[in-house]
Amino acid sequence: MAHKPSTIAIHNGLNEDSQFGCVVPPIYLSSTYNFTDFNEPRSHDYSRRGNPGRDIVQRTLAQLEGGSGAVVTNSGMSALHLLCTVFLQPGDLLVAPHDCYGGSYRLFNSQHERGAYQVQFVDQNNEAELQAALDKKPKLILIETPSNPLLRIYDIEKIARLAHDAGALVVVDNTFLSPILQQPIALGADFVVHSCTKYLNGHSDIIAGTVIAKEEKWATELTWWANNIGVTGGAFDSYLLLRGIRTLSPRIKQQQSNAQEIVNYLKTQPLVGKLYYPSLKDHIGHKIAVKQQKGFGAMLSFEFNGDEQQLRHFLGTLTLFTLAESLGGVETLISHTATMTHAGMSAEARAAAGITDSLLRVSVGIEDSQDLVADLDNAFKIAAQH
């Protein structure tokens, strides 16, 4: 019987312990496993290659995203690096979003500069620009939707169709929405990547990533290479990741509800310039979001309409919005994009992507929304006095 994502998130791995009857799967911290006899290994022999707890969370992630298999890695960046290692060779072309996460941009650009593969950053909502890149017969197309940090929405189904016609494989970074709100493989993607550090774990206490493959042959190859280059996730991180996934659905729903309340407030603030959130009718890709997403998520960004001194007072006055990088945790975070998450991009690259020095990105948590709005309101009032 096929189950809904919320049920998969709760029940995968429960009641599988036959030795003691543990309802929750235990943590398997052993690095090595004995052979039953000469040249007779068990299903696990060394934890870099395979770990019982990691097996469970990988199976859970694959089922949540509708894939054939998944690999949990030691960071979101290593998940991207794994994909590129397996499917790109020198001279092959990767087409990536011009406004992608700063760490992704840094990885692709540095690998391009050392000749590992070629990369072209394009505005994937510009059909002519996208088609010109596809005419070069790329091997991989990365779609990041909603984009980080401007929440631009890209049409997965349309881009996947064009990419497949050009002979390319399609990767979707689904970190911002999670499988609760978006299912890229059902829309035509070949792979889904996540920084599991974010919404999947949800508690800001691990670093992990994952690649989910549509086809079993790709999952098998990714698994082999993950062991080969040593990027697999650890036992305790796998346990915490699975524990976080259990509450993914209710967390996302509360965070999304809070985000909409904050957006409604920010629309009334004179110190807020441009506001970026997919529920807004004038947001880039709003209609696409309605079509391919089950909600608008809990990430938002806005331009601070004041000088640097006011910005410093605003950020310094906040008490419930922690000035920090990362996102997706139960706590609310705010970041200054140009000096934090996208500092690895050059000023020219940030300008081309539309990322200004006044842009603030907010990851909304599960606190009471009235408390969050009150905290914002107080900080804006203090900033306006300077």
Side-chain angles (χ1 to χ4, degrees), residues 223-241:
T223 298
W224 189 91
W225 274 99
N227 174 56
N228 186 38
I229 63 177
V231 297
T232 50
F236 193 62
D237 285 346
S238 296
Y239 165 78
L240 287 176
L241 175 56

Side-chain angles (χ1 to χ4, degrees), residues 44 48 55 60 70 85 121 128-129 208 318 372:
H44 296 88
R48 186 185 70 242
D55 290 352
T60 302
T85 298
F121 297 100
E129 191 174 334
L318 291 168
L372 292 173

Side-chain angles (χ1 to χ4, degrees), residues 36-245:
T36 58
D37 205 342
F38 174 74
N39 202 27
E40 292 183 8
R42 301 175 187 270
S43 57
H44 296 88
D45 56 9
Y46 192 65
S47 272
R48 186 185 70 242
R49 187 175 73 85
N51 175 278
R54 191 166 70 237
D55 290 352
I56 294 171
V57 75
Q58 287 175 161
R59 186 174 72 234
T60 302
L61 289 166
Q63 290 181 11
L64 284 171
E65 288 285 9
S68 295
V71 178
V72 168
T73 63
N74 51 29
S75 72
M77 294 311 304
S78 66
L80 279 175
H81 185 46
L82 173 64
L83 259 175
C84 293
T85 298
V86 174
F87 294 101
L88 293 174
Q89 297 182 12
D92 289 344
L93 177 63
L94 163 69
V95 174
H98 74 307
D99 57 349
C100 62
Y101 164 57
S104 302
Y105 183 96
R106 180 180 57 214
L107 171 67
F108 302 146
N109 192 56
S110 61
Q111 291 289 71
H112 167 85
E113 289 178 345
R114 71 196 303 264
Y117 48 80
Q118 302 298 306
V119 64
Q120 183 173 347
F121 297 100
V122 303
D123 180 352
Q124 295 175 347
N125 276 332
N126 184 319
E127 293 189 17
E129 191 174 334
L130 175 62
Q131 189 58 56
L134 292 173
D135 288 342
K136 297 179 181 179
K137 300 299 179 182
K139 290 294 181 67
L140 281 181
I141 306 292
L142 172 68
I143 306 169
E144 186 182 287
T145 183
S147 70
N148 182 2
L150 295 176
L151 289 305
R152 291 171 177 145
I153 308 299
Y154 296 95
D155 192 328
I156 296 173
E157 192 170 21
K158 179 180 178 180
I159 297 174
R161 183 177 66 254
L162 293 172
H164 289 151
D165 288 346
L169 295 171
V170 177
V171 185
V172 174
D173 187 332
N174 201 26
T175 298
F176 267 28
L177 290 180
S178 88
I180 299 298
L181 297 181
Q182 184 167 261
Q183 297 275 321
I185 288 176
L187 294 168
D190 301 300
F191 304 96
V192 177
V193 295
H194 286 269
S195 171
C196 300
T197 311
K198 313 303 193 296
Y199 285 104
L200 291 174
N201 170 255
H203 293 79
S204 301
D205 53 9
I206 69 165
I207 300 291
T210 188
V211 184
I212 299 104
K214 179 180 180 180
E215 295 193 14
E216 186 176 354
K217 63 179 182 180
W218 294 331
T220 299
E221 190 169 6
L222 287 162
T223 298
W224 189 91
W225 274 99
N227 174 56
N228 186 38
I229 63 177
V231 297
T232 50
F236 193 62
D237 285 346
S238 296
Y239 165 78
L240 287 176
L241 175 56
L242 184 64
R243 187 170 184 244
I245 288 173

Side-chain angles (χ1 to χ4, degrees), residues 341-375:
T341 57
H342 288 64
M345 294 175 70
S346 67
E348 293 77 16
R350 288 198 301 270
I355 300 170
T356 70
D357 289 343
S358 64
L359 185 70
L360 297 174
R361 191 194 71 182
V362 179
S363 170
V364 183
I366 64 172
E367 302 95 335
D368 187 280
S369 62
Q370 293 182 9
D371 289 339
L372 292 173
V373 169
D375 192 35

Side-chain angles (χ1 to χ4, degrees), residues 264-339:
N264 293 340
Y265 166 77
L266 291 175
K267 287 191 292 186
T268 70
Q269 264 302 313
L271 281 176
V272 173
K274 179 68 176 175
L275 180 58
Y276 304 93
Y277 188 66
S279 74
L280 301 171
K281 295 294 193 296
D282 62 347
H283 186 79
I284 294 177
H286 166 75
K287 291 183 178 179
I288 300 171
V290 172
K291 179 186 71 169
Q292 73 184 17
Q293 300 173 195
K294 296 180 180 178
F296 298 113
M299 297 298 300
L300 62 96
S301 295
F302 65 93
E303 307 283 351
F304 185 84
N305 191 21
D307 59 30
E308 183 176 322
Q309 183 183 20
Q310 289 177 306
L311 175 61
R312 288 176 178 270
H313 281 288
F314 172 73
L315 294 173
T317 303
L318 291 168
T319 61
L320 298 180
F321 290 67
T322 299
L323 181 62
E325 297 183 350
S326 198
L327 58 101
V330 293
E331 72 288 343
T332 297
L333 303 177
I334 189 166
S335 65
H336 181 249
T337 306
T339 60

